Amino acid sequence: MKYTVRYAHLAQVFVKPWQALKEGDLIGIMGNTGQSYGAHLHIDCVRGRQTKKYTLSEIESGKYISEPKQLNYFIDEKLFGSKPVITTPYCDYDYQRLFRKLHFGYDVIPSSADWHIRWNRSKIGSVSAILDDPEGYGNCVYITFEA
Ligand SMILES: [Zn+2]
């Protein structure tokens, strides 16, 4: 099964489309681009090889991976090279009240001052898209891998 991970709101992107990534390779630097109220990394994941913005229909058709799987797959110490701190959880209640929409993903920040974001899976990743979405997720990198 293929999965695509999205890394959003990046300040800088260090990868190119179709680039292969091995564990530890740099993806970019955490930032505050797009609709964001402070530097953080928004990270989420869907099934399949995605090359565009996720749509509501994709969410409703159940393509989003369930919350515990996202947490286990994508948030670990290898992401920043230090323990990540979750600032907005999946489907966070406060976020929903404030912005009147669900938060499908996690907002995380590193516990150290190092804002470099790294490919944190042992499987080889492939950059399937790089998008600039100023009204939404800002500078985004989509990385697909097989698991
Ligand atoms: Zn978010």
Side-chain angles (χ1 to χ4, degrees), residues 70-116:
Q70 295 228 5
L71 185 61
N72 294 336
Y73 263 28
F74 307 112
I75 302 175
D76 62 24
E77 291 200 11
K78 293 174 192 161
L79 183 62
F80 292 113
S82 70
K83 197 174 160 53
V85 178
I86 295 172
T87 58
T88 310
Y90 200 88
C91 294
D92 181 61
Y93 175 76
D94 291 334
Y95 183 96
Q96 192 177 358
R97 194 163 40 84
L98 206 58
F99 300 108
R100 297 172 188 278
K101 57 185 179 184
L102 288 169
H103 187 244
F104 287 111
Y106 289 89
D107 293 342
V108 295
I109 54 171
S111 57
S112 74
D114 186 356
W115 288 12
H116 288 83

Side-chain angles (χ1 to χ4, degrees), residues 22-84:
K22 62 179 187 333
E23 191 170 13
D25 284 350
L26 286 175
I27 295 167
I29 297 182
M30 187 178 79
N32 193 29
T33 57
Q35 204 177 70
S36 170
Y37 300 92
H40 72 284
L41 173 66
H42 175 99
I43 185 167
D44 58 27
C45 178
V46 291
R47 292 182 194 144
R49 183 177 182 279
Q50 300 291 332
T51 58
K52 55 176 174 56
K53 282 194 267 184
Y54 309 148
T55 65
L56 190 60
S57 66
E58 282 167 331
I59 294 166
E60 288 173 339
S61 68
K63 286 185 183 172
Y64 260 81
I65 297 173
S66 66
E67 177 252 320
K69 202 162 186 180
Q70 295 228 5
L71 185 61
N72 294 336
Y73 263 28
F74 307 112
I75 302 175
D76 62 24
E77 291 200 11
K78 293 174 192 161
L79 183 62
F80 292 113
S82 70
K83 197 174 160 53

